[in-house]
Each structure stands twice: as C-alpha cells, then as structure tokens.
Amino acid sequence: MVAEQGGPEDQKPQSDEARSAFVPPAGVEQPPTPSEDDHPTSEFALPAGLHTDPSAGPGSGQGSASGPGGGGADAPASAFVPPSGYNAQHQQPVFTPAHGIPMVRLTKEAPWQDRMRTMLRMPVTERPAPEGVQKTDDSGPAVPRVLDLTLRIGELLLAGGEGAEDVEAAMFAVTRSYGLDRCEPTVTFTLLSISHQPSLVEDPVTASRTVRRRGTDYTRLAAVFRLIDDITTTEHVEVSLEEAYRRLAEIRRNRHPYPGWVLTASAGLLAGSASVLVGGGVLVFIVAAAGAMLGDRLAWLCAGRGLPEFYQFMAAAMPPAAMGIALTLTHSTDVRPSAVITGGLFALLPGRALVAGVQDGLTGYYITAGARLLEVMYFFIGIVGGVLLMLYLGVQLGAQLNPEARFVPNDRPVIQILASMALTLAFAILLQQERSTVLAVTLNGGVAWIIYGAMARTGGISPVAATAVAAGLVGLFGQLFSRYRYTSSLPYITAAIGPLLPGSATYFGLLGVAQNELDTGLASLSTAVATALAIAIGVNLGSEISRLFMRVPGGIGGPSRRAAKRTRGF
C-alpha cells in the first residue's frame, strides 16, 4: 500500500527495492480493501456468480446436505450424498466379485510348497492371517533377523538350482511361520529381496541378498528343505531363530557326499553309457569314458585357474572329440567314433539349467527365465566351440567323418535300458544327490528310456513327441516321489532326463557345420533344440499334472487352483 499524503518528508520517492512488485504505483486508483467476510472459507466453496441447478430440490435427494449456508433447495450438492433413487438395501455388491471373495483354508495335510504357492498366487488383501507356527517373544518377532534368515535360505535354494517360484514359496513360508505378515519376496537370477510392512502407518523394512556363486549339491538342497519343513509344518518341534541359524550354518559347512575321484569316474561312466545308447560297443565305452574323465580333469584345472565357465565347457568338450577323431584316423571299422563324441556331449549338455529356465518361463518369472536360458546358450556355445575346433582339425587331417551314421537299430533293448539306468546313476552322483534318492531316480530314468524307445523306435512316433511324453512321466513320477519324501523334486527329475538329452542330434549338427553342409547341420541342430525344449516343457507339464490331481488348498466356492501369474493374457 502507498502511504497517504503528508509532509514533504513523506513525498520522497521510494527505491525499487523498498517497493513490492505487486503494489500499484503512486497515482493509480487503489482497489477497495476486501473485508474479512469476503474471503472464501474453503477451496471447495462455490465462487461468486455460480448458481446451482434450481431443479435440485429437497425431494430429489440433492439438497439433503447441510452445508455452511444451510440446507434449502438452493444448497449445493455434496460428493458424498447418494444420488436420486439410490437404495442401499437393493443395490448389487460392488468392489467384490458377484460370488464374493472365496475363503481359503490352508490344510496341514498338503505340503508346504503347495500351501505357500497358493498364498503367493492370491492378492495381498485376500491372504489369511499367518499361522504363527514358531513361538516368538512377547514383543513380537525380530524382524531384521527373520528377514536375514529368510534371505540366507533363499540363497541356498537359488544357488542349488531351484526354480524361482519354489524359492519365493520357501521364503514366504519362513516369514509366515515366524509371524511376519504382509511380506513380499522377489527372486531374480542373482538377486533376492524381501519387503515387510508392519502396518499401514509404519515404514516398510526391505532387505536383499546377492547370489555370488552357484553350485550343484542336491544333498545340501534336501537338507534346506527339511529345515523349512520343520519350521513351517512341525508344531510339536520348536525351531527358534537361534536353532534355525545353527542348522543353516551346519548345512553350509557340510562337505560334499562324494569325493572328487568319484565325480570324475561318474563323468566317465555317464559318457560311456551314453555311447552305448547310440550304438557303441565295449571299446567305444572305454574310449568315451577316458575322454570324458580327461575333459573333466581339464575343466577342473581351468576352474582352479579362475577361468569362466564358458572356457571350462570348451575345454571339457575337446578331449572326447579328439579321441573320436583319433579313432577315425586309425581306419578301424569295429568302432563308432560318432558314439564316442556323442557320449562326451551327454556329459556336458546343461540339462539342469535348461529345465529350470523353461520352468521359470512357464510359471511367469520371465526375467529369471531369460537369464537362465542365456546362461544355457553360453554353455552350449562353449561346447560347440570346443567340438567344432576338434572337428575342423580332424577334417584338415583327412578324417573320414560320416554324417550319415545314425542310431543303431533297436535290436539291443535290454543293453540300452541298462545303459540308460547307468547313465542316470552317474548323473545323480554328479549332482551330489543323497544316497537314499539314487535308486529312485535311477528307476525313473530307466522308465523314461523304456517309454521313449517304445514310442520312437517301436511305434514309429516322432522322436521329439516321444521325448516330450517320456519327460512328462519323469516330471510326474518326480513330483510323486518328492511328495512322499516331503523334499524338492529336482533330485528325482534332473538325473532322470539324462538319457533323453539330444547328444546325437547335437553332434551330427556340429559335424554338418564343420564339413560345410550348413543345411544338414542346421536342421540337426534345430532338432536338438526342439528336443531340449520338449524335455523341459514335458517335465514342467508332468509336475503341473501331478499337482492338478492332488489335494491342494484352495477357495471354498471358488476356483481351487489359481494361475501362476495371469490368465489369458490379462
């Protein structure tokens, strides 16, 4: 405001700094000062000059609100006033489905994997309260310690090759057993995180852990599953946080069940058995076993020098291929060099990582699935590089490698069934399985080869379709075995798919590429890829079928089984 006229001392001009930019200059007519009553009291008040609809009277339901100005016919309508004709007693239910939200009962008879998978596939608002199996202090569970224990358990499962959905289910089971509600675990290829929100008015607590190293030890995996089972389903056995930490430390310190020389011998037995499956004899068995053991020792040497796994696979693939080419150069007609190379490839193909990657993709964990499949691709390229290098040298030396040599006719079914079981046994030892599971998985592998041989060789069905059916039975029997033992299904599935791996198709595809017959080579490699995908999809489908017909906790009056992530794309 400009000062009123006064004495000469009041007429001195003011500087620009002393005058506000919003003050009218001197000589301009000043607007009247608004009174205090003219200011609106709320930002929701109607501005001056705006009139409401005069047709909205008391009988229309719009003027029942008693606003600041009174409740007459001209009273403004409120957003919280029900519209005309609304009757709460005759309205259809909103915000909920027409049949209501199904109630979920978590039955103790079902394994904890199925119960927690059901919980994960439910919205957060529909999940029942945690069971609270384990006792905690009067002040409640120690949230940081429970989250840290959960992450450590998830790290061992993920490092052991377990699928992302099963890892999340295990983490969810541990937190609920110790009384933590509103927990959300997240699993990717190398990162695990979990978030806990104590209440709607408190800040969430989030912790994460990175998986630095991965190793295959199914004995350790089974021990972790037993710990989770004791935490989640055994009410008469108290597993405190201190006890859980102690058992977890013992699991991490335990040595592998088999020494190094047994693993090397198992690699040789696997390669020799695979060579018999594709038509090799006794000499081929011995040469393939020697090449695989030499490749295994070479890979261990590369690992000890810190080379990445890509170069380890390349180094392990070179000795079997070199021995097969050496047999070809001797011009011996009693041996099959292709069987030697194929046997060596069987011992290197990453079937475990392939099955886990496809399973994660089918259950909706696309980031983890993409990372696993990319890892499989790098391993496969390493194998291809090592074999192609040896094949190229063999072609340059004049080795007569015959790309037309294929499987031996099915005139040795008993020998091939025994070879498939020996291959599965060796694969189980390489996976560091418990001795109590070796017999079951060996029988499962023999049944898989019988089904494949009956369909592909006797029935004349497509090998890819026969492989898918056999892998589906492997997944079905593996789930049944795991439900009987209350443990992971991987020890009963991974080794059993060994006889079904596309070692022969991979070799002949690489041979075609090495001999500059790209059409034949790429066609054979495409068959190998299709066979590998059939194995992975068949195993997952068999596992899902087993859960479909088992008693799984679900909704009463609603669907008993929910989709993994989403249904029909929305």
Side-chain angles (χ1 to χ4, degrees):
M1 300 295 293
V2 179
E4 298 181 359
Q5 295 181 0
E9 64 277 1
D10 297 332
Q11 301 299 325
K12 293 188 297 182
Q14 297 180 347
S15 62
D16 293 337
E17 291 78 3
R19 186 176 59 200
S20 173
F22 299 97
V23 176
V28 177
E29 183 179 358
Q30 306 298 322
T33 303
S35 62
E36 192 69 26
D37 297 336
D38 292 339
H39 287 284
T41 58
S42 172
E43 61 180 353
F44 298 101
L46 296 177
L50 179 63
H51 301 282
T52 59
D53 187 5
S55 62
S60 63
Q62 299 282 352
S64 59
S66 57
D74 297 336
S78 172
F80 300 97
V81 176
S84 175
Y86 176 81
N87 191 340
Q89 297 179 354
H90 299 88
Q91 290 300 317
Q92 297 295 327
V94 294
F95 306 117
T96 57
H99 52 77
I101 298 176
M103 181 176 60
V104 175
R105 294 177 181 175
L106 298 179
T107 59
K108 291 296 183 181
E109 292 79 8
W112 64 265
Q113 297 99 314
D114 290 337
R115 292 187 286 114
M116 293 303 109
R117 188 178 291 109
T118 302
M119 296 291 296
L120 284 174
R121 295 175 180 180
M122 293 174 57
V124 180
T125 56
E126 300 178 16
R127 293 173 182 170
E131 297 91 339
V133 177
Q134 301 301 327
K135 296 180 181 180
T136 56
D137 299 335
D138 297 335
S139 59
V143 176
R145 297 196 65 193
V146 173
L147 297 184
D148 179 72
L149 175 67
T150 304
L151 289 174
R152 291 177 182 271
I153 291 177
E155 178 189 9
L156 286 180
L157 294 178
L158 188 61
E162 195 66 59
E165 187 179 29
D166 291 332
V167 176
E168 283 195 2
M171 296 171 65
F172 198 71
V174 174
T175 55
R176 289 182 65 85
S177 298
Y178 285 107
L180 293 187
D181 197 6
R182 292 183 295 273
C183 287
E184 288 297 332
T186 303
V187 176
T188 57
F189 184 55
T190 57
L191 180 65
L192 301 97
S193 63
I194 186 169
S195 177
H196 168 63
Q197 188 173 10
S199 65
L200 296 178
V201 296
E202 297 182 63
D203 296 334
V205 180
T206 303
S208 61
R209 195 173 183 88
T210 302
V211 179
R212 300 294 182 184
R213 292 188 60 185
R214 293 187 303 274
T216 304
D217 189 343
Y218 283 177
T219 300
R220 180 178 297 174
L221 191 68
V224 176
F225 265 76
R226 284 193 293 268
L227 173 60
I228 300 172
D229 186 67
D230 292 340
I231 292 175
T232 56
T233 60
T234 309
E235 298 183 356
H236 60 277
V237 177
E238 181 180 355
V239 183
S240 61
L241 285 175
E242 289 75 13
E243 177 68 15
Y245 268 107
R246 185 190 64 80
R247 292 179 57 178
L248 192 63
E250 290 181 355
I251 293 173
R252 298 178 68 95
R253 287 196 302 265
N254 282 346
R255 298 177 61 87
H256 297 303
Y258 305 104
W261 67 268
V262 174
L263 298 180
T264 302
S266 299
L269 177 62
L270 193 155
S273 302
S275 66
V276 174
L277 282 180
V278 295
V282 178
L283 181 59
V284 170
F285 178 92
I286 296 174
V287 175
M293 289 189 291
L294 182 59
D296 181 77
R297 288 292 90 190
L298 188 59
W300 276 105
L301 180 62
C302 294
R305 296 297 184 269
L307 290 178
E309 287 184 302
F310 176 86
Y311 300 105
Q312 297 176 27
F313 273 84
M314 179 180 291
M318 294 171 66
M323 287 194 171
I325 294 171
L327 286 178
T328 304
L329 293 175
T330 59
H331 302 286
S332 176
T333 59
D334 298 332
V335 297
R336 291 172 54 88
S338 61
V340 175
I341 302 176
T342 301
L345 289 177
F346 265 89
L348 297 176
L349 292 178
R352 173 185 58 86
L354 175 66
V355 171
V358 175
Q359 179 181 357
D360 288 341
L362 294 177
T363 52
Y365 294 84
Y366 301 114
I367 297 178
T368 307
R372 289 185 189 271
L373 294 178
L374 185 62
E375 180 188 41
V376 171
M377 185 190 72
Y378 272 104
F379 291 165
F380 189 76
I381 291 176
I383 298 171
V384 168
V387 176
L388 276 181
L389 180 60
M390 293 294 101
L391 291 179
Y392 179 77
L393 292 178
V395 171
Q396 297 300 318
L397 293 175
Q400 299 297 323
L401 299 172
N402 184 12
E404 301 297 330
R406 296 293 176 180
F407 291 113
V408 170
N410 54 349
D411 54 354
R412 307 184 306 170
V414 177
I415 295 178
Q416 290 184 337
I417 292 173
L418 294 177
S420 66
M421 296 178 67
L423 189 152
T424 306
L425 173 65
F427 203 174
I429 296 176
L430 287 175
L431 294 174
Q432 306 279 359
Q433 292 190 197
E434 291 182 309
R435 293 177 175 87
S436 59
T437 64
V438 171
L439 178 60
V441 71
T442 302
L443 295 176
N444 201 9
V447 171
W449 182 257
I450 291 174
I451 298 299
Y452 171 80
M455 295 182 63
R457 302 191 179 182
T458 304
I461 302 176
S462 170
V464 176
T467 301
V469 174
L473 291 178
V474 168
L476 177 62
F477 293 152
Q479 285 293 333
L480 294 177
F481 281 129
S482 67
R483 291 304 186 268
Y484 176 73
R485 298 290 299 272
Y486 288 93
T487 184
S488 172
S489 61
L490 289 181
Y492 302 98
I493 291 177
T494 306
I497 66 173
L500 304 176
L501 292 175
S504 181
T506 303
Y507 162 69
F508 287 113
L510 297 180
L511 180 58
V513 174
Q515 293 182 340
N516 204 20
E517 299 178 1
L518 297 181
D519 294 339
T520 305
L522 293 179
S524 185
L525 288 177
S526 301
T527 303
V529 173
T531 304
L533 293 178
I535 292 173
I537 295 175
V539 167
N540 181 265
L541 183 60
S543 301
E544 294 296 327
I545 289 176
S546 67
R547 298 191 188 106
L548 185 64
F549 292 101
M550 288 181 179
R551 184 180 180 184
V552 181
I556 300 176
S560 60
R561 179 168 170 79
R562 298 177 180 269
K565 286 295 182 182
R566 57 184 181 178
T567 304
R568 296 182 299 278
F570 54 85

